Amino acid sequence: ICNMIYGILSSKSCLLSEIARNLHENISLRKTVTRLSRNLNDFNHGETLFEEYLKTIKNRYTDKSILIIDGSDITKPASTKLEGLCEVRDGSTGEIGTGYHTIGAAVLSDRKLPYCVYSGIYSSREKNFISEDEEILNCFEFLSNHFSKSNIRTMDRGYDCNTYYRYFIKNKEKFIIRAKKNRNVIYKDETVNIIDLTKRFKGKYNLEYADKSGVKRNVKISIIPIRLCEFKNTELNLVVVYGFGKTPMMLITNLKSDDKRISVAICKVYLMRWRIEEYFKFKKQSFDFENLRVQSLKSIRNLDLLLTIAIGYIAELSGKSENI
């Protein structure tokens, strides 16, 4: 564990050859790589190690901290021998290639630093693979076991699915999910398309903010009480944000307050979701994660675990810095 985490941080790479070079051992490079490769495939204490990692970062978040959940991918266009390679959509190009699906969750610290608290890699060609929904629900259950119901789960349009709403409503967990344009909702006992509903409002509250590029924006926000057709007994809110383009941004949430300005707070929480995208980008670009050269899925998952902990260590140091 120490060799791998030190080697990853020192080499800024996930290649075992680069990690081995930075260990500076008095044996041949080939022998070091062979040992690291063998131990990656034989390591069976990932759950215990990750639990210890979570204990280490526990003081960085509270029951009010935001949880961000999102999927990504590992693309291996030139690989043919890696275990369980499947079709994935490359998030960078939008094209279909080969690789692995990933699901990740991050908690934002009081300084808005993302700490990864769940990282899963899966393939549709694995023997025990059931479905994408099952993999995502496994992530939700892990978060349920380690975080409070009041930690707001924040997700993009890919999670606008009745299966996920059912999970959060059943478990009474707070959530914000960006809605798709084809969803129907119930407003004042009328079933209506969500886009048609947004056209009835113009935005009562203003929000000025700087996006992730630093560009200042001004948007208008409305909050509308709704219910979902599949969960007619559950009162929810639709927060509509006008000003992002022709189609407004639509957020479905079970957050409620007597203060109607909660719509602005909900919008701000969702806009922090890009932090996990920055985390994925940092993971891939700063450590060349997609260039991994281990063949078994078990080794890939153990490498991902050790890299997650290494990045958590960077976040710990950054969180203590006064200059960040």
Side-chain angles (χ1 to χ4, degrees):
I1 294 169
C2 290
N3 281 177
M4 285 296 298
I5 292 178
Y6 174 83
I8 288 170
L9 292 172
S10 180
S11 66
K12 298 180 183 178
S13 173
C14 285
L15 287 174
L16 295 187
S17 57
E18 293 302 315
I19 293 171
R21 283 191 181 92
N22 281 267
L23 295 179
H24 303 295
E25 296 184 334
N26 293 322
I27 56 175
S28 70
L29 183 67
R30 182 176 180 179
K31 287 185 178 180
T32 302
V33 171
T34 299
R35 185 188 78 243
L36 295 177
S37 178
R38 181 180 66 249
N39 288 342
L40 264 183
N41 195 58
D42 293 343
F43 187 68
N44 296 313
H45 306 286
E47 290 184 8
T48 302
L49 180 59
F50 199 71
E51 290 292 337
E52 292 301 316
Y53 159 74
L54 290 178
K55 290 178 184 177
T56 302
I57 66 171
K58 193 171 181 62
N59 64 331
R60 293 297 175 187
Y61 58 86
T62 69
D63 289 348
K64 302 299 181 182
S65 298
I66 301 166
L67 286 169
I68 308 169
I69 304 162
D70 201 4
S72 186
D73 58 83
I74 300 171
T75 54
K76 302 293 293 181
S79 299
T80 58
K81 301 296 184 181
L82 298 187
E83 180 186 358
L85 284 171
C86 67
E87 287 189 348
V88 298
R89 180 182 177 277
D90 189 334
S92 302
T93 64
E95 298 178 355
I96 301 298
T98 57
Y100 303 100
H101 303 282
T102 71
I103 172 100
V107 63
L108 295 186
S109 70
D110 54 352
R111 304 187 72 179
K112 303 301 181 289
L113 286 171
Y115 284 79
C116 181
V117 291
Y118 185 90
S119 185
I121 297 174
Y122 63 95
S123 165
S124 58
R125 292 189 176 179
E126 283 186 88
K127 183 179 179 180
N128 298 323
F129 176 78
I130 299 174
S131 67
E132 182 182 32
D133 283 349
E134 189 70 18
E135 297 293 334
I136 292 172
L137 289 173
N138 287 339
C139 172
F140 291 170
E141 289 174 3
F142 182 89
L143 298 177
S144 296
N145 293 331
H146 291 81
F147 290 87
S148 167
K149 296 179 186 294
S150 60
N151 287 114
I152 304 170
R153 280 75 171 160
T154 309
M155 290 148 281
D156 203 3
R157 282 172 288 204
Y159 297 84
D160 181 16
C161 169
N162 292 333
T163 301
Y164 309 146
Y165 286 117
R166 184 177 296 109
Y167 181 90
F168 294 129
I169 291 171
K170 179 182 177 181
N171 290 282
K172 299 179 180 179
E173 295 178 351
K174 302 299 183 183
F175 66 85
I176 299 172
I177 299 177
R178 187 171 181 177
K180 298 176 183 176
K181 294 186 288 186
N182 61 351
R183 174 166 287 280
N184 290 336
V185 297
I186 299 173
Y187 174 67
K188 292 184 177 180
D189 296 325
E190 174 193 0
T191 300
V192 59
N193 175 265
I194 197 168
I195 289 292
D196 293 335
L197 180 60
T198 64
K199 294 177 181 177
R200 302 180 188 181
F201 300 83
K202 296 183 178 179
K204 184 177 180 180
Y205 304 98
N206 292 319
L207 172 63
E208 292 183 3
Y209 76 99
D211 64 17
K212 59 184 178 182
S213 302
V215 178
K216 291 186 177 181
R217 294 181 179 272
N218 191 315
V219 296
K220 291 184 176 294
I221 306 170
S222 289
I223 184 166
I224 309 166
I226 63 163
R227 289 172 288 149
L228 298 180
C229 299
E230 293 75 12
F231 311 100
K232 295 181 179 179
N233 296 323
T234 303
E235 294 181 356
L236 301 172
N237 280 319
L238 172 64
V239 174
V240 186
V241 187
Y242 304 89
F244 283 99
K246 293 182 179 179
T247 303
M249 184 172 72
M250 301 165 291
L251 308 174
I252 296 177
T253 180
N254 57 354
L255 294 176
K256 297 178 183 179
S257 173
D258 293 334
D259 188 344
K260 291 297 182 180
R261 289 176 298 177
I262 190 176
S263 58
V264 175
I266 291 169
C267 180
K268 287 181 177 180
V269 168
Y270 179 80
L271 291 174
M272 293 179 192
R273 196 196 64 81
W274 65 271
R275 291 281 181 173
I276 197 170
E277 296 177 0
E278 292 294 314
Y279 169 80
F280 288 145
K281 182 179 179 181
F282 178 73
K283 188 175 185 179
K284 289 180 179 181
Q285 295 186 358
S286 297
F287 295 94
D288 204 14
F289 183 52
E290 288 188 305
N291 197 27
L292 54 87
R293 305 283 178 86
V294 292
Q295 290 191 352
S296 73
L297 262 171
K298 183 179 179 182
S299 294
I300 292 172
R301 285 170 175 144
N302 280 331
L303 183 60
D304 176 59
L305 167 66
L306 293 163
L307 175 57
T308 297
I309 293 173
I311 295 174
Y313 180 69
I314 294 173
E316 271 291 280
L317 293 178
S318 299
K320 295 175 182 179
S321 171
E322 295 297 329
N323 297 320
I324 189 171

